[in-house]
Amino acid sequence: MRFHYYQFLKLILLAAFAFFLIQLHHTGDVEKLINPKYVRMSQVAAGVIVLLFFVQLGRVWEGSSGEHAFCPPGCKEDHDHKQSYIKRGVSYLVLLFPLFTGFGLNLTSLDAAIAKNKGSLLPQEESSYQVDPSSNSHTLDESMPIPNNNYLTDEEYEQRMDRLNQDDIQMNEDIYASYYQEIQDNPHRYKGRTIQIKGFVYKEEGLESNQLVVARFLITHCVADARVIGLLSESNEAGSLSENTWVEVNGRIDVQSYNGVDIPFIEVKEINQIPEPANPYIFPILTKVL
């Protein structure tokens, strides 16, 4: 029996990855990094890594009887050191990088600064306002295999969309993406309707002092593909609200021309600061197949 140093390093790496994933699930922070649909897959991955840890544990101390089973007669090479130090070092650095960033960086939600890096939300001058085809609610709901837990049956989806034409508009998280797209596509249809919406304050360049965007991040698969969505709002209190402040807005939908494009906006009747939700992101709807 002898101690295998490099096998021990692999054991430590497996332990670190397992601890990192388990910690994310224990604190609930995993949902700030991936779509909720991926949580179960992440749990399975953590379980597999734990299993591999115990398998690797048996390789740290082992005899040499089987080390040359597949070698030509007379082979005395130490196969644990077959790779060059440079290749082995690069391999370990690649594995260590996500651990260093995961343990060393503070985990925060996407905010207004990230939204600015994603580009303009409102239509800009000398450009037509075009809706990203991938954001179309019908496509998101039925065609694209987007992994998340925001499922509705066809009947439930139709019932929720019918409410958009009957009641005061409640931009709840589960139906938010579909309501948002419908209002953006047909702003005049919803002019004069009462709306309640929650989001963080986002102020784009070019807005007036009494204007802000009540924004959310729409997540398709993970934070890497997040895009900011939201409704322009007008309130006398807009100037006193700093970016990233979470608010609940009650108001009336109106339509105005912004850089030559008709867009919906909210005439705010009431605006209140609220705590950031435990899960601040919005996910597209998937149709549940029964």
Side-chain angles (χ1 to χ4, degrees):
M1 299 288 289
R2 69 184 182 92
F3 179 76
H4 293 259
Y5 176 74
Y6 288 105
Q7 297 290 355
F8 178 72
L9 288 180
K10 295 175 184 178
L11 181 72
I12 297 301
L13 286 173
L14 286 169
F17 273 107
F19 177 77
F20 178 60
L21 288 175
I22 291 171
Q23 182 186 49
L24 285 177
H25 287 283
H26 177 71
T27 60
D29 286 339
V30 67
E31 293 191 5
K32 293 182 179 180
L33 295 173
I34 61 175
N35 188 289
K37 180 64 177 181
Y38 282 139
V39 169
R40 181 60 58 86
M41 295 175 63
S42 180
Q43 291 172 340
V44 172
V48 171
I49 292 175
V50 171
L51 178 63
L52 291 175
F53 170 84
F54 287 105
V55 172
Q56 185 66 21
L57 188 63
R59 296 177 177 175
V60 176
W61 291 92
E62 63 182 9
S64 59
S65 58
E67 288 183 354
H68 307 283
F70 301 99
C71 296
C75 176
K76 297 182 179 180
E77 182 181 355
D78 187 350
H79 295 286
D80 199 33
H81 297 76
K82 187 175 181 179
Q83 277 191 318
S84 69
Y85 289 106
I86 295 178
K87 289 183 179 180
R88 186 179 290 113
V90 171
S91 300
Y92 286 131
L93 285 176
V94 171
L95 293 173
L96 287 171
F97 179 75
L99 291 174
F100 285 145
T101 55
F103 286 114
L105 300 179
N106 292 327
L107 184 60
T108 58
S109 302
L110 300 179
D111 57 15
I114 302 298
K116 285 182 170 60
N117 293 332
K118 292 283 184 178
S120 177
L121 171 63
L122 300 173
Q124 301 302 299
E125 294 184 43
E126 299 181 358
S127 65
S128 60
Y129 179 61
Q130 297 179 342
V131 178
D132 182 355
S134 66
S135 67
N136 182 274
S137 60
H138 179 83
T139 302
L140 289 176
D141 295 338
E142 299 177 7
S143 302
M144 295 181 63
I146 300 169
N148 67 56
N149 287 324
N150 196 17
Y151 284 98
L152 291 177
T153 64
D154 287 332
E155 183 179 357
E156 290 171 337
Y157 178 75
E158 292 300 329
Q159 290 176 350
R160 299 295 294 276
M161 293 304 294
D162 285 342
R163 293 180 195 171
L164 182 61
N165 300 313
Q166 300 171 4
D167 306 326
D168 293 341
I169 300 172
Q170 303 285 330
M171 298 291 283
N172 296 327
E173 279 75 2
D174 57 348
I175 199 68
Y176 190 110
S178 295
Y179 278 11
Y180 171 79
Q181 194 62 52
E182 172 63 19
I183 294 170
Q184 288 289 336
D185 290 344
N186 305 284
H188 290 280
R189 181 184 300 172
Y190 301 96
K191 183 177 179 179
R193 297 284 302 281
T194 301
I195 186 172
Q196 182 183 75
I197 186 172
K198 299 176 183 178
F200 64 89
V201 174
Y202 172 49
K203 297 181 179 180
E204 243 184 43
E205 184 178 353
L207 294 184
E208 302 293 336
S209 60
N210 68 332
Q211 293 179 325
L212 57 84
V213 176
V214 182
R216 301 294 288 263
F217 274 98
L218 177 65
I219 306 293
T220 303
H221 295 99
C222 61
V223 295
D225 57 34
R227 68 182 185 93
V228 64
I229 61 175
L231 293 175
L232 179 65
S233 303
E234 292 187 352
S235 170
N236 293 330
E237 300 179 49
S240 63
L241 294 170
S242 59
E243 283 196 320
N244 297 318
T245 302
W246 278 82
V247 294
E248 180 179 80
V249 168
N250 291 276
R252 185 178 69 88
I253 296 176
D254 205 342
V255 180
Q256 67 173 239
S257 178
Y258 190 91
N259 289 329
V261 179
D262 286 347
I263 65 168
F265 78 100
I266 302 174
E267 289 183 343
V268 178
K269 296 180 180 179
E270 184 181 7
I271 184 168
N272 298 304
Q273 295 188 37
I274 60 173
E276 178 180 338
N279 189 347
Y281 306 131
I282 296 298
F283 298 93
I285 295 173
L286 287 176
T287 299
K288 185 186 296 182
V289 180
L290 298 178

